[in-house]
Amino acid sequence: MPVFLGTFRSVEITYNAVEQTYHPHIHVIAAVQESYFSKGNLDYVNHERLMKLWRRVLGVDYDPQVYIEAVDRNEPVGAVAEVAKYTVKPVDYVDRPEVIEVLEPALKGRRLIAYGGLFKTVKRRLKLEDEAGEGVNQAEVDAMIRDPLIEKLVYRWNCGMKVYNVEIIR
C-alpha cells in the first residue's frame, strides 16, 4: 500500500516589497492511513527526513526550510484554507507593474496546483476541469450532498473577519 493515499499541492509566491524579493513555496496536504502515525512506522516522514529529502531533490548544499504537521481530521479548516488559497496575494502586485512583469512570464504555463491519488479521484468524480471549478456536474454534486454517509465541510470566506467559517453538513 502506498504511504500517501492522496495529495493536494499548491504553489504560493510571496513578495517582499522592502527587499524586492520573491519567496516561492509549496503547500501540501497528504492523506494517510491512521496507522501512518503508529510508533515504529518506517514509512513515517519526520521533519529531519523531509528536510533531507528536499535537500536531495533540490540539489542544494543547505538544509531547506520545511514545516510539517498533522492535521486534526475534526478541525481541518486552517490547513485546507492555507493550501487552497491564492498563488499570489493581490496586495503584492496591485500598483506594482514591476512585480507583474516578473510573475507573468515566471508563472505562465505552470501547474500551480496539482492533485494526486485520492484527491485526483475526487476531482475527477466531481468533473473539475480546472482550478476554478468550472464544469462541475451539479447533479453528481447534489447526490453527494444528499448522501448521509459523506460528511461535508463548507468553507466560506468572511471578508470582514478575514477568516474561513466552516459548516459541517451530515
Side-chain angles (χ1 to χ4, degrees):
M1 177 175 283
V3 174
F4 297 121
L5 303 175
T7 58
F8 174 74
R9 182 242 330 142
S10 69
V11 175
E12 179 184 357
I13 302 170
T14 54
Y15 174 71
N16 182 322
V18 174
E19 297 179 15
Q20 296 183 344
T21 57
Y22 299 84
H23 174 65
H25 48 285
I26 300 170
H27 295 269
V28 177
I29 288 185
V32 297
Q33 294 283 352
E34 281 194 51
S35 60
Y36 176 78
F37 298 102
S38 301
K39 189 174 182 129
N41 179 2
L42 299 177
D43 291 325
Y44 180 78
V45 179
N46 63 20
H47 180 269
E48 187 69 26
R49 185 170 171 203
L50 182 62
M51 188 170 49
K52 286 179 180 179
L53 287 168
W54 270 112
R55 180 182 177 147
R56 188 178 75 210
V57 167
L58 293 172
V60 296
D61 61 355
Y62 61 88
D63 291 331
Q65 279 190 322
V66 298
Y67 178 75
I68 185 173
E69 71 174 288
V71 174
D72 182 344
R73 71 169 15 158
N74 298 313
E75 294 292 330
V77 65
V80 171
E82 184 65 21
V83 175
K85 67 183 183 180
Y86 42 77
T87 299
V88 181
K89 295 177 191 170
V91 73
D92 285 349
Y93 60 84
V94 169
D95 295 328
R96 291 195 175 106
E98 70 279 7
V99 174
I100 295 172
E101 288 174 10
V102 171
L103 290 176
E104 196 278 326
L107 299 178
K108 185 176 182 180
R110 304 279 183 202
R111 183 179 300 262
L112 301 175
I113 67 168
Y115 303 82
L118 177 67
F119 294 103
K120 192 173 190 175
T121 300
V122 170
K123 178 182 182 273
R124 189 176 17 213
R125 286 184 182 166
L126 291 175
K127 295 184 170 63
L128 296 177
E129 295 176 6
D130 60 23
E131 292 77 44
E134 295 175 15
V136 173
N137 180 321
Q138 194 58 49
E140 201 169 318
V141 171
D142 291 342
M144 289 177 75
I145 289 172
R146 286 190 306 272
D147 188 336
L149 299 177
I150 298 176
E151 180 178 271
K152 281 71 69 177
L153 300 175
V154 178
Y155 299 91
R156 290 190 175 86
W157 178 248
N158 182 325
C159 293
M161 299 294 291
K162 297 186 178 179
V163 297
Y164 282 94
N165 295 325
V166 65
E167 177 185 353
I168 300 174
I169 303 170
R170 297 197 168 143

